[in-house]
């Protein structure tokens, strides 16, 4: 299946959801689900952006540049980074039912990863040195996972978010896996957004989502910087990076489970011999 066939709405090319404030704006209504959201904001030098969190919790994650995040009672100075390929970054957590302002003296690009939630947790700062980083897979499946808001690394009510760097020519999100059913101890139901950036002006990659049920999500998308892919259900992976061009993606996940956890099921046809 290509981007132009049914389920093309799960592939979100750069600019398709752009509006007055955001370069990318995916909320539950746009995605056709209940919990997960992602916004990308681009600020000019000296720019500011005020937003209300509503019924969702949010993490402000610098993609390029630094900023200050102001809430009613807190102020967080985010050093940020030169680019998503340069390093991990610090970040700020903003709770539901709050107002926040992002201000950037030098300008930059910032992701707002969100999830509809129930509890109002305190606003907090996430230091870059405390982000757990792991090398996952081996050989041509090697990738770096930055677990800045994984279920066991940073406390949120519903939101789970991680970053992945896939070296040029490598596969990640492999073996294909899914998390679209509630099976206690085995699988957690989670809606997921992939947001992509590719190293180099002409770089690209590929993202596959295949059905786990009749009529389920089915996408093969050629992705470039600024694109996103929505995963309401289905086996997702591989994510394939063009040789010579590293691939970055931000995963944003949330679901209805009472326990915030990332439990997945691997595709049985692709696990034999995998290490």
């Amino acid at each position: 299946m290509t981007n132009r066939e049914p389920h093309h709405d799960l592939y979100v090319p750069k600019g398709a959801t752009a509006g007055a404030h955001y370069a990318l704006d995916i909320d539950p209504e746009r995605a056709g689900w209940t919990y997960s959201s992602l916004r990308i904001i681009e600020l000019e030098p000296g720019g500011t952006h005020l937003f209300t969190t509503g019924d969702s919790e949010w993490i402000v994650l610098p993609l390029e540049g630094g900023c200050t995040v102001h809430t009613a009672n807190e102020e967080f100075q985010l050093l940020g980074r030169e680019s998503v390929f340069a390093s991990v970054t610090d970040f700020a957590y903003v709770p539901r039912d709050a107002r926040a302002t992002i201000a950037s003296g030098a300008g930059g690009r910032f992701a707002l990863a969100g999830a509809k939630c129930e509890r109002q947790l305190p606003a907090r700062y996430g230091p870059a040195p405390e982000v757990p980083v792991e090398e996952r897979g081996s050989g041509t499946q090697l990738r770096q996972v930055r677990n800045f808001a994984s279920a066991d690394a940073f406390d949120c009510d519903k939101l789970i978010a991680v970053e992945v760097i896939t070296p040029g020519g490598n596969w990640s999100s492999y073996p294909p896996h899914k998390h679209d059913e509630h099976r206690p101890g085995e699988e957690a139901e989670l809606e997921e957004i992939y947001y992509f950036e590719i190293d180099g002006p002409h770089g690209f990659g590929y993202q596959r989502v295949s059905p786990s049920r009749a009529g389920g999500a089915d996408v093969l998308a050629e992705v470039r910087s600024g694109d996103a892919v929505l995963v309401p259900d289905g086996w997702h992976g591989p994510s394939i990076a063009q040789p010579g061009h590293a691939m970055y993606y931000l995963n944003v996940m949330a679901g209805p489970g009472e326990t915030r956890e990332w439990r997945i099921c691997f595709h049985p046809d692709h696990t034999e011999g995998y290490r």
Side-chain angles (χ1 to χ4, degrees), residues 52-160:
T52 56
T53 60
D55 60 2
S56 295
E57 58 187 347
W58 297 86
I59 283 179
V60 180
L61 181 78
L63 301 175
E64 180 180 328
C67 67
T68 302
V69 178
H70 304 265
T71 66
N73 301 310
E74 300 284 354
E75 178 178 301
F76 306 113
Q77 299 284 344
L78 304 187
L79 297 177
R81 53 188 165 184
E82 183 178 343
S83 78
V84 296
F85 299 101
S87 66
V88 298
T89 184
D90 51 358
F91 58 94
Y93 174 89
V94 184
R96 62 167 291 163
D97 301 318
R99 291 165 60 90
T101 301
I102 303 171
S104 180
R109 293 183 303 108
F110 308 95
L112 279 67
K116 184 177 179 180
C117 66
E118 298 174 1
R119 294 186 298 152
Q120 186 182 45
L121 303 179
R124 278 162 293 138
Y125 173 71
E130 294 183 12
V131 173
V133 178
E134 63 172 307
E135 300 293 330
R136 189 176 296 170
S138 61
T140 54
Q141 290 91 49
L142 180 68
R143 64 274 199 188
Q144 181 190 83
V145 183
R146 302 166 177 171
N147 292 298
F148 71 96
S150 63
D152 56 356
F154 188 83
D155 189 28
C156 300
D157 187 30
K158 294 288 188 182
L159 178 64
I160 298 173

Side-chain angles (χ1 to χ4, degrees), residues 9-268:
D9 55 323
L10 300 182
Y11 164 67
V12 184
K14 181 180 180 179
T17 63
H21 300 294
Y22 301 111
L24 175 77
D25 190 358
I26 297 171
D27 60 12
E29 182 179 4
R30 162 65 180 82
W33 56 37
T34 305
Y35 296 96
S36 299
S37 296
L38 178 63
R39 301 168 178 171
I40 304 295
I41 185 166
E42 299 174 348
L43 293 180
E44 298 292 332
T48 63
H49 176 64
L50 170 66
F51 70 100
T52 56
T53 60
D55 60 2
S56 295
E57 58 187 347
W58 297 86
I59 283 179
V60 180
L61 181 78
L63 301 175
E64 180 180 328
C67 67
T68 302
V69 178
H70 304 265
T71 66
N73 301 310
E74 300 284 354
E75 178 178 301
F76 306 113
Q77 299 284 344
L78 304 187
L79 297 177
R81 53 188 165 184
E82 183 178 343
S83 78
V84 296
F85 299 101
S87 66
V88 298
T89 184
D90 51 358
F91 58 94
Y93 174 89
V94 184
R96 62 167 291 163
D97 301 318
R99 291 165 60 90
T101 301
I102 303 171
S104 180
R109 293 183 303 108
F110 308 95
L112 279 67
K116 184 177 179 180
C117 66
E118 298 174 1
R119 294 186 298 152
Q120 186 182 45
L121 303 179
R124 278 162 293 138
Y125 173 71
E130 294 183 12
V131 173
V133 178
E134 63 172 307
E135 300 293 330
R136 189 176 296 170
S138 61
T140 54
Q141 290 91 49
L142 180 68
R143 64 274 199 188
Q144 181 190 83
V145 183
R146 302 166 177 171
N147 292 298
F148 71 96
S150 63
D152 56 356
F154 188 83
D155 189 28
C156 300
D157 187 30
K158 294 288 188 182
L159 178 64
I160 298 173
V162 303
E163 300 179 301
V164 178
I165 300 290
T166 306
N170 279 19
W171 287 23
S172 58
S173 278
Y174 192 82
H177 58 282
K178 74 180 186 76
H179 40 68
D180 56 14
E181 296 180 84
H182 175 63
R183 296 187 297 146
E186 297 183 36
E187 185 176 351
E189 183 181 350
L190 296 167
E191 309 156 351
E192 184 164 12
I193 303 169
Y194 278 69
Y195 167 76
F196 296 90
E197 296 197 4
I198 311 296
D199 191 21
H202 307 296
F204 60 88
Y206 289 93
Q207 176 66 40
R208 182 73 171 112
V209 184
S210 54
S212 60
R213 62 189 70 168
D218 194 350
V219 180
L220 174 58
E222 182 175 292
V223 294
R224 299 176 186 273
S225 290
D227 292 354
V229 170
L230 310 182
V231 187
D233 56 74
W235 304 102
H236 37 294
S239 305
I240 304 172
Q242 178 190 11
H245 297 268
M247 169 191 282
Y248 163 93
Y249 52 85
L250 169 62
N251 291 140
V252 179
M253 294 168 274
E258 293 184 7
T259 302
R260 175 176 170 255
E261 56 184 351
W262 185 68
R263 290 190 179 275
I264 63 173
C265 175
F266 288 113
H267 197 303

